[in-house]
Amino acid sequence: MAPRKNFRNQAKKEVKPAAVVNKNGVKVEASVAASGGGFSGTKIFTWFMVLALLGVWSSVAVVWFDLVDYDNVIGKLSAYDADGDGDFDVEDAKVLLGLKERPVSVLLREAKEDYAVKEPDAAPTPDDDVDGSQNTDVESEIQAAVPLPPISDDFIPDDSRDEATHPYEDENNAIDTKGELVEKAQPQQTVEESKQYNNQPGSYNNQPGSPETKETEAESVPEPEADVEPEVESVPEPEADVEPEVESVPELEAEFVPELKAKKKKPKLLNKFEKTIKTEIDAAEKLRKKGKVEEAVRAFETLVLQYPQSPRCRYGKALAEDGLAEKMLSNDMLQKAIGTYKEASELPNATPDLIKATLKKRAERQQFLGRMRGALATLEKLVQIFPEDMALKNDLGVAHLLIGDNNSAKRVYEEVLATAPSDGFAKVHYGFILKSENKIAESIPFLRDGLESGDPGTDDGRFYFHLGDALQRMGDDSAYKWYERGHQRGHFASVWQRSLYNVDGLKAQPWWTPKDTGYMDLVKTLERNWRIIRDEAQSVMDKTTGLFVPEEENLREKGEWGQFTLWQQGKKAGESCRSVPKTCGLLERYPEATGCKRGQIKFSVMQPGTHVWPHTGPTNCRLRMHLGLVIPKTGCKIRCTNDTRAWEEGKVLIFDDSFEHEVWQDADSYRLIFIVDVWHPELTQYQRQTLSPI
């Protein structure tokens, strides 16, 4: 049977092609000839395999020889991983859009990475520890002693201000129209020698004895840059007055320039365990140093939870809380920081340097809040722990002075000088105390030797003033040499103008005319009504009423001098004004006088045979008017700088009492004047509202 024909069988049937002769005369199969030498299926497969193997080996070569920087490519994508989970997702987008805070772990990681970056080929610095690790800047902060605060007229009662003052909320700190903090230095001691060594709390970076930073209008007050001292222009020299001849002092004598001290050993704040977590501590500390105080607080809180027995972590938390309190102007946060300082100092295994750092910082912040007795207790504890540290004892002496306990301060400085007789800081303070006790001659060598030592804390305008004043009272003309040195050191505007609490740039001249002041209306009112004012003053001069009180500022060499105050620091003495209602009524409409927070309005009566020592007022922010009420024909005179004048009944004399002035009463009957202090006319309204009282 013949096979069945179909297409499958036909396809399977192999037909051998006919041979053909190519151009070279060689027989080849027809199929090859027809294809012209093209690829067969087998050849295509072969080439495919070759290319595939080539690709594999190329890939191996790329990886093996690291021809592509995969880390760089992947790193660009990881920049969008804001929450630290290793990818970019919805949570990352929320963080980038500000809808969610970055985790503390991410912040710490970034801080560590920043901290690890160093300049190439950087030379080792003196901050490097002997173990090769580098300390953070904060470890050097503790070397500064508790700052010497400025003296104030204000009496601080025995209960100090432990219960009352809140510097972030009181009138001594103001917020300008932009919401920025306007710092105001606190008033220093009036040169009418206060026996108290007090300060008002609540000011930052207020160096004692330094001129007050120039106050400006609210809208022009910039935010102070961190760690940058404001530039203070020099107060202009007095116009048309002659300074006393003093020994020319082009440069301070060699003994007056502080000797270069050997660099102090860097404090060791880390215990043995904390050295193993130093990188984590430094990362959190870097956030604080960069001003990211909120993030720093969170970072240190995390470390405290992780290492609850670490004193350094808790100290870092206290520093961060302290910085946050300043940023927020929050007393509550500052109180929290004070508590954290205490916790850090009481943890086991705290290094001695860390205990000293935390307790010193705690005392400083307690003083800032006005917790003077709390600061005293903290410093007493420090002295108990470190009895050989004379600097701590010096700070303890200041703490006693700040609560008005001069006797205890005196005992402390006697102990210091018994151990370290050349301690300049103790000498100037001991001299200050002796002078406040009116032991003028005894105070001079301590004040002079302390200033000449150049020790830290001695270069203070108050000590130059008190030394010069003591020398003047002893009849020693070298007083003006010390005033000149105080001027060269930047504490006094000139030898004559020695006020310590100044606003920069105000016109400075000893004597003024009513036209100069711009207060013509006030002067005319006083002069037109001088008899009414005189009659009311005489009605209350009876000694039995007790309204006139003796001058108690130790300004008299001899004689009797009584005063009756109607306004003090811009506040009306209501009881006094009820005794002289017409006089007070005349002044009510003159805010330049009644609102002068750095002055007084008062009657002054001086008996024959009285001499008032040369002295200066505390500030250049006011001018003083004297209205003559009862003036003897001869024997009464007042000197301001080198210009001596006399009062006249019914006439006003105006002078700037920040310049040296002196009074004699050599008549045969009493002299009665009315004193009215007014704001310096060049002060702006904003300055008058925000300057702190004196």
Side-chain angles (χ1 to χ4, degrees), residues 146-153 186-191 193-194 196-200 206-211 398 401-402 413 425 428-429 431-433 435 443 447-448 451 457-470 482-483 486 489-492 498-501 616 618:
V146 176
L148 184 66
I151 302 173
S152 163
D153 261 0
Q186 300 309 311
Q188 294 175 343
Q189 173 192 20
T190 59
V191 184
E193 192 175 2
S194 167
Q196 301 295 323
Y197 189 93
N198 301 330
N199 76 318
Q200 294 180 354
N206 181 29
Q207 296 301 319
S210 61
V398 171
L401 288 170
L402 289 175
Y413 290 122
F425 187 94
V428 290
H429 285 81
F432 168 84
I433 295 168
K435 187 166 182 290
S443 71
L447 288 166
R448 181 180 55 228
L451 282 171
T458 61
D459 187 21
D460 186 312
R462 292 169 297 182
F463 302 131
Y464 285 93
F465 158 73
H466 282 297
L467 176 57
D469 185 60
W482 286 95
Y483 290 147
R489 303 293 288 182
H491 302 304
F492 306 139
R498 301 191 298 273
S499 56
L500 297 176
Y501 194 49
T616 59

Side-chain angles (χ1 to χ4, degrees), residues 18-282:
V20 295
V21 179
N22 64 13
K23 61 183 179 180
N24 295 322
V26 180
K27 290 184 179 182
V28 296
E29 293 182 357
S31 61
V32 175
S35 65
F39 289 107
S40 68
T42 302
K43 289 185 178 181
I44 292 175
F45 176 75
T46 301
W47 279 109
F48 175 78
M49 291 300 295
V50 170
L51 292 174
L53 290 172
L54 182 62
V56 170
W57 285 110
S58 297
S59 299
V60 170
V62 168
V63 174
W64 183 265
F65 294 106
D66 198 16
L67 300 179
V68 177
D69 187 1
Y70 288 101
D71 290 339
N72 184 45
V73 175
I74 296 172
K76 291 178 179 179
L77 296 175
S78 66
Y80 298 98
D81 176 22
D83 61 0
D85 61 356
D87 59 8
F88 180 75
D89 51 21
V90 175
E91 296 303 315
D92 295 309
K94 288 181 180 179
V95 174
L96 294 175
L97 293 173
L99 302 176
K100 179 181 177 182
E101 290 188 354
R102 308 187 79 180
V104 173
S105 59
V106 176
L107 296 173
L108 284 171
R109 185 193 68 201
E110 293 178 351
K112 288 179 187 177
E113 292 171 354
D114 291 342
Y115 187 79
V117 175
K118 293 184 178 180
E119 293 293 330
D121 302 325
T125 67
D127 290 339
D128 292 340
D129 283 334
V130 292
D131 60 359
S133 60
Q134 191 174 45
N135 286 322
T136 57
D137 292 340
V138 67
E139 296 180 3
S140 62
E141 292 179 358
I142 69 164
Q143 298 189 20
V146 176
L148 184 66
I151 302 173
S152 163
D153 261 0
D154 299 336
F155 173 73
I156 298 181
D158 287 341
D159 61 355
S160 190
R161 289 194 177 94
D162 294 65
E163 301 296 330
T165 308
H166 296 279
Y168 285 127
E169 298 162 7
D170 70 9
E171 63 180 0
N172 295 326
N173 285 313
I175 304 296
D176 70 8
T177 54
K178 292 183 179 180
E180 296 174 341
L181 172 67
V182 181
E183 288 183 8
K184 299 187 292 301
Q186 300 309 311
Q188 294 175 343
Q189 173 192 20
T190 59
V191 184
E192 289 90 342
E193 192 175 2
S194 167
K195 293 184 180 181
Q196 301 295 323
Y197 189 93
N198 301 330
N199 76 318
Q200 294 180 354
S203 70
Y204 284 104
N205 304 322
N206 181 29
Q207 296 301 319
S210 61
E212 179 176 330
T213 305
K214 183 177 179 181
E215 300 281 351
T216 56
E217 293 292 348
E219 60 269 16
S220 66
V221 179
E223 186 74 13
E225 296 181 9
D227 300 325
V228 178
E229 290 288 334
E231 294 186 1
V232 182
E233 299 177 4
S234 59
V235 178
E237 291 291 328
E239 300 176 5
D241 74 317
V242 180
E243 296 193 359
E245 293 185 5
V246 297
E247 179 183 342
S248 176
V249 190
E251 294 183 1
L252 294 180
E253 298 175 10
E255 72 269 16
F256 222 77
V257 179
E259 297 180 2
L260 292 176
K261 307 291 184 182
K263 187 172 180 179
K264 293 183 179 179
K265 186 178 179 182
K266 203 159 189 69
K268 301 298 182 183
L269 304 182
L270 302 178
N271 61 31
K272 187 174 182 180
F273 166 73
E274 288 165 338
K275 290 181 180 180
T276 66
I277 59 169
K278 186 176 186 298
T279 303
E280 296 174 70
I281 294 173
D282 289 343

Side-chain angles (χ1 to χ4, degrees), residues 457-566:
T458 61
D459 187 21
D460 186 312
R462 292 169 297 182
F463 302 131
Y464 285 93
F465 158 73
H466 282 297
L467 176 57
D469 185 60
L471 290 167
Q472 275 186 303
R473 296 189 184 198
M474 296 302 296
D476 189 336
D477 289 340
S478 68
Y480 288 99
K481 177 181 177 180
W482 286 95
Y483 290 147
E484 173 66 22
R485 285 177 168 175
H487 167 53
Q488 286 192 355
R489 303 293 288 182
H491 302 304
F492 306 139
S494 70
V495 173
W496 284 127
Q497 191 180 23
R498 301 191 298 273
S499 56
L500 297 176
Y501 194 49
N502 303 318
V503 167
D504 189 30
L506 299 180
K507 183 178 181 179
Q509 63 186 42
W511 291 99
W512 291 63
T513 66
K515 185 177 180 181
D516 289 337
T517 67
Y519 300 137
M520 292 289 293
D521 190 32
L522 171 59
V523 172
K524 289 178 180 178
T525 296
L526 293 172
E527 292 184 342
R528 277 197 302 261
N529 296 280
W530 75 273
R531 289 184 175 86
I532 295 174
I533 298 171
R534 178 198 62 191
D535 293 345
E536 285 198 327
Q538 289 178 323
S539 72
V540 297
M541 278 182 60
D542 185 356
K543 291 184 179 180
T544 61
T545 64
L547 297 178
F548 275 67
V549 297
E551 178 271 330
E552 298 177 342
E553 297 171 344
N554 194 26
L555 293 175
R556 287 169 293 159
E557 178 189 8
K558 58 183 180 177
E560 295 182 33
W561 179 15
Q563 301 175 347
F564 178 42
T565 301
L566 306 180

Side-chain angles (χ1 to χ4, degrees), residues 156-162 366-367 370-380 399-400 402-405:
I156 298 181
D158 287 341
D159 61 355
S160 190
R161 289 194 177 94
D162 294 65
Q366 285 173 312
Q367 287 180 346
R371 310 291 196 260
M372 299 303 177
R373 292 198 177 277
L376 178 63
T378 301
L379 288 166
E380 285 176 336
H400 282 297
L402 289 175
I403 63 172
D405 188 357

